[in-house]
Amino acid sequence: MVKSRIAIACFTTFAATVAVAGLPACQAGDAPAAQSASPSMDGPGVVPDIDKLPDNTWGRTVRYGRDLITKTSSLIGPEVPDPSHRFAGNNLNCQSCHIKAGTKKFGLPLIGIYANFPAYAARLGRVETIGERIQGCMERSMNGRPLPPDGPEMTAMMSYLKFLSTGHQVGAPVAGRGSGSMRELNRAADPVKGATVYANTCAGCHGTDGQGQRVGKVGDGKGYVFPPLWGPDSFNDGAGMNKIIDATNFIHSNMPDGTTWQNPTLSPEDAWDVAAYIDSQPRPAMANLGRDFPNKLEKPVDTPYGPYADGFTAEQHKFGPFGPINAAVRNLKAASAARK
C-alpha cells in the first residue's frame, strides 16, 4: 500500500556552491535567499513554496531535486535509455514512501531533515552524513547503487532537502515527522488475517499478486500508477518498509491512497496484520545485512534479520509480540551498564 508517486531520500555533505553538470556554478545573486512559505493543507507545519524560486541555477537545481523524488523511475530508474543513469534498481519513485514529494504530514515527510544532519545512525554505529543517508535509501528502498557523491543527482537531491529545511533550526522538532506511532499489539501480527485485509482493501490498486499497476508497459521507464509491494521490482529486505513497525504506521496513516492520519481507513489491528502479510512476501535480498547495527542492543526490535543480542527468534522479531523482546533488551542494557 505504498503509494505510487513515492520514493526515498538519502544524502552527502552539501557543497558551498551548487555545481550541477550542464549548469554553471552559482553566480552572485543566485544564492538561496530566504524563501516565502505557504501553509500546506496537510503538511508538517509550513512548506516553502518551490514555485517562487527564481529561474536561476539554485531554482533549477532545487526543482530537479524535487523531480528526482517524484519521477525517480523516469530519471534514474533501471529502464532509462542511458545505462550510466540507471542508479535505482527498481521502478519505484522516492515519493512512493515520501508522499507528495516529502511534504505530507506523517507520510514520511522530508521537511526539516537536512537541518538534522550529520546525526548518529545506529545502523552504522557512527555519525552519518546526509549524503550517506541518501545512499542508504538508494541501496535499500530503491534496491540500486550509490549516486556519484559529486554528481548532479546527489547535488539536486540535497538542494531540495536543504530547501525543505528553510526556516528550520538544527534539532528543532517538526510536526508530523515520520509516519506515526501506534500502540503495539500484545500478540504477533498475523499474515493470514492480513491476506484478507489485503484482498479487501489493497489489491484493487496494488494487484492481487502485489505487483502494482504500470503507467505504461515494462521497459518504458514510466514507472507505476500504484507500485509493487513485493517481488523483483519492489524494495529489498534491508529497507525500512520491510520492518513491520515502520510499515504498519505508514499504512495506518496513509493507506489506501487518500487516507490521512486524522481519518485512518484501517483499524490498528488490520494495519498490523496487513503489514505482516506484505512483509512476509518475497522481495530482493540485500547482501551483508548482518553487518548492520554493530551494537546489537541498538537494533530496532522489529529488524527482521539477525544476529540479535536477546535470544529471540527472527520470526518474533518480524511479527512480534515485541513486549518480551523489549524487556529482555532493557535487562541486557542494564547489565551492560553495570559492568562498566
Side-chain angles (χ1 to χ4, degrees):
M1 304 207 328
V2 185
K3 193 178 167 222
S4 106
R5 295 149 295 192
I6 307 171
I8 296 122
C10 318
F11 328 118
T12 317
T13 39
F14 186 76
T17 58
V18 179
V20 178
L23 294 176
C26 289
Q27 304 297 319
D30 281 3
Q35 303 299 328
S36 60
S38 59
S40 171
M41 293 297 291
D42 58 352
V46 175
V47 179
D49 189 349
I50 197 170
D51 292 328
K52 291 185 178 180
L53 286 175
D55 184 20
N56 58 14
T57 303
W58 171 250
R60 291 190 295 272
T61 303
V62 171
R63 280 187 277 268
Y64 179 45
R66 179 186 59 181
D67 289 347
L68 285 165
I69 299 297
T70 61
K71 305 171 186 176
T72 320
S73 59
S74 63
L75 294 173
I76 56 172
E79 297 173 351
V80 299
D82 185 348
S84 69
H85 285 82
R86 295 172 185 168
F87 296 107
N90 58 37
N91 285 285
L92 303 182
N93 292 322
C94 291
Q95 75 168 3
S96 298
C97 296
H98 302 289
I99 300 179
K100 293 186 177 178
T103 65
K104 185 187 179 188
K105 197 170 188 176
F106 295 116
L108 297 181
L110 302 173
I111 307 295
I113 289 288
Y114 185 91
N116 288 339
F117 280 84
Y120 177 73
R123 190 176 72 199
L124 299 177
R126 60 173 174 78
V127 170
E128 177 184 48
T129 67
I130 196 169
E132 289 175 306
R133 183 70 185 91
I134 290 174
Q135 302 291 36
C137 288
M138 288 300 302
E139 293 180 279
R140 293 169 185 262
S141 297
M142 305 309 292
N143 193 37
R145 61 188 177 97
L147 298 169
D150 299 322
E153 295 83 11
M154 177 63 82
T155 299
M157 279 194 177
M158 288 196 299
S159 298
Y160 179 62
L161 294 171
K162 181 179 175 68
F163 172 74
L164 289 182
S165 282
T166 301
H168 288 272
Q169 296 181 345
V170 173
V174 176
R177 173 68 55 79
S179 58
S181 181
M182 289 196 303
R183 177 181 55 84
E184 294 174 5
L185 296 178
N186 292 323
R187 61 169 174 84
D190 189 339
V192 175
K193 291 181 179 178
T196 300
V197 179
Y198 182 87
N200 293 336
T201 310
C202 318
C205 292
H206 296 283
T208 56
D209 59 358
Q211 301 308 292
Q213 295 183 34
R214 279 265 182 174
V215 173
K217 60 182 184 299
V218 174
D220 63 10
K222 295 180 180 179
Y224 293 88
V225 179
F226 298 102
L229 302 182
W230 63 81
D233 212 23
S234 189
F235 54 89
N236 68 37
D237 59 355
M241 281 295 178
N242 197 44
K243 301 207 307 290
I244 192 172
I245 293 176
D246 290 352
T248 297
N249 283 296
F250 182 85
I251 289 167
H252 190 253
S253 296
N254 299 288
M255 294 295 138
D257 188 16
T259 294
T260 64
W261 66 277
Q262 300 103 320
N263 296 295
T265 300
L266 296 176
S267 69
E269 291 76 12
D270 284 350
W272 280 102
D273 289 338
V274 78
Y277 175 69
I278 291 169
D279 282 351
S280 67
Q281 302 303 311
R283 62 186 65 260
M286 183 175 180
N288 302 316
L289 288 178
R291 298 177 185 174
D292 287 358
F293 304 100
N295 183 347
K296 302 310 176 192
L297 293 179
E298 294 180 341
K299 202 165 192 173
V301 68
D302 61 336
T303 306
Y305 50 88
Y308 306 107
D310 49 56
F312 288 84
T313 65
E315 180 84 1
Q316 187 159 346
H317 277 279
K318 190 174 182 72
F319 299 125
F322 299 119
I325 305 177
N326 282 321
V329 170
R330 284 194 298 269
N331 290 336
L332 288 168
K333 287 180 176 179
S336 176
R339 289 193 297 269
K340 294 179 179 179

